[in-house]
Amino acid sequence: MTRLACLALTAALLPAAPARAWVQATTREEPHQPLHVADSNCLPMTLHAAGSDDVAFEEVRAAVEAGFGVWNDVPGAYVAFTMTPVASCCRAEFLQQGANANCVRWLEDDWPDEYPPNGIALTTITYAVENGAILDADIEYNGVDFTFGTDCASGRVDIWNTTAHEAGHALGLDHSTAIGATMRPRSYPGDCDLRDLTADDTEGLTAIYPAAGDPGTCLEPRGGLNLDCSPPPDDCGCRAPGARPAPWALPLALTALAALRLRRRR
Ligand SMILES: [Zn+2]
């Protein structure tokens, strides 16, 4: 795809710019409840111990923490990310009965066909249909098609940059049409412009999580923290024949940070 074709596709998919550019994601089901972290002033994130194949683990950890950190301590907003201990195993999944983690991991061998092609990263949210409460948010980076880095070098996808964007999704923000916003839908290897929030991003955050609404408590992931992909307890009954998932837990592969990649013509 040429750059022109890519940009044309973007234009075709975006609605006309509203007066307010930031967008809160909603449930797919009517009446489209807005997604949000509920009853907690934090969202605990868990980094997989494997990190990225491209960067030393401690560098990955620092860049990931920096990416989440840009959303912390925004004046007028109460929500913040916390980092749990590193996980020996984490998956993009939500266990209705069992412990969970908001997993941050790289996919190095397979970027699934059902994920957006050319996606740099993907945030998958499980939410409560009834009220849009975010039950689980997992972030996966595409290590199959991209090389990652931490210094904005051309040809490398910056981890801080990408994490800052996906972190916004984990908090319930969808893509923004604001020029330069961290929540704009596209980036490219070497891009570091998403590292810092713009006024549009912070407006969205403070509108969804206004300081006056601080619940004053920081909750663990649903069912407790799971750092090793522990399965649900055997006695939960959730594996019995005929057991159905609760109707309120549906995964939403929310949005990928799509790549703007230039290909030379032969
Ligand atoms: Zn995105």
Side-chain angles (χ1 to χ4, degrees):
M1 187 183 293
T2 66
R3 184 175 189 182
L4 268 182
C6 218
L7 289 171
L9 181 63
T10 306
L13 291 174
L14 292 175
R20 166 191 98 182
W22 63 269
V23 175
Q24 187 170 7
T26 66
T27 62
R28 282 175 298 205
E29 301 76 11
E30 296 281 357
H32 302 303
Q33 301 286 353
L35 301 192
H36 61 284
V37 176
D39 306 322
S40 175
N41 58 16
C42 74
L43 189 58
M45 304 303 297
T46 301
L47 177 60
H48 185 213
S52 161
D53 281 359
D54 306 324
V55 182
F57 180 76
E58 286 306 323
E59 266 187 76
V60 171
R61 189 210 295 253
V64 164
E65 290 183 3
F68 286 120
V70 302
W71 295 95
N72 293 353
D73 303 319
V74 171
Y78 68 75
V79 78
F81 289 100
T82 58
M83 298 302 297
T84 75
V86 168
S88 60
C89 171
C90 64
R91 303 191 187 110
E93 64 179 10
F94 175 66
L95 302 179
Q96 294 175 41
Q97 303 189 56
N100 285 282
N102 297 310
C103 175
V104 178
R105 69 171 187 169
W106 267 256
L107 299 184
E108 302 287 2
D109 299 320
D110 179 47
W111 185 251
D113 288 342
E114 62 268 27
Y115 284 15
N118 267 7
I120 293 173
L122 180 71
T123 298
T124 301
I125 287 180
T126 304
Y127 58 79
V129 170
E130 59 188 11
N131 60 12
I134 293 172
L135 306 174
D136 186 81
D138 302 305
I139 297 174
E140 294 172 295
Y141 301 81
N142 182 353
V144 177
D145 298 313
F146 298 96
T147 302
F148 285 80
T150 57
D151 58 0
C152 312
S154 65
R156 288 180 177 265
V157 170
D158 187 72
I159 294 173
W160 174 349
N161 191 74
T162 306
T163 303
H165 177 90
E166 300 303 325
H169 287 322
L171 293 173
L173 285 166
D174 208 332
H175 288 147
S176 171
T177 54
I179 305 295
T182 293
M183 294 315 297
R184 70 173 187 250
R186 284 177 183 270
S187 182
Y188 51 89
D191 181 16
C192 275
D193 287 348
L194 311 186
R195 281 184 171 196
D196 300 310
L197 301 184
T198 63
D200 180 66
D201 301 303
T202 57
E203 271 173 33
L205 188 73
T206 51
I208 300 170
Y209 303 100
D214 188 346
T217 185
C218 171
L219 298 181
E220 279 199 317
R222 301 279 166 141
L225 179 60
N226 189 341
L227 295 178
D228 57 4
C229 300
S230 296
D234 286 339
D235 61 355
C236 74
C238 47
R239 287 175 173 166
R244 287 176 302 149
W248 40 262
L250 289 178
L252 170 67
L254 186 59
T255 26
L257 182 60
L260 243 186
R261 287 200 293 185
L262 300 175
R263 288 185 188 160
R264 289 199 183 93
R265 289 184 185 172
R266 294 188 180 176

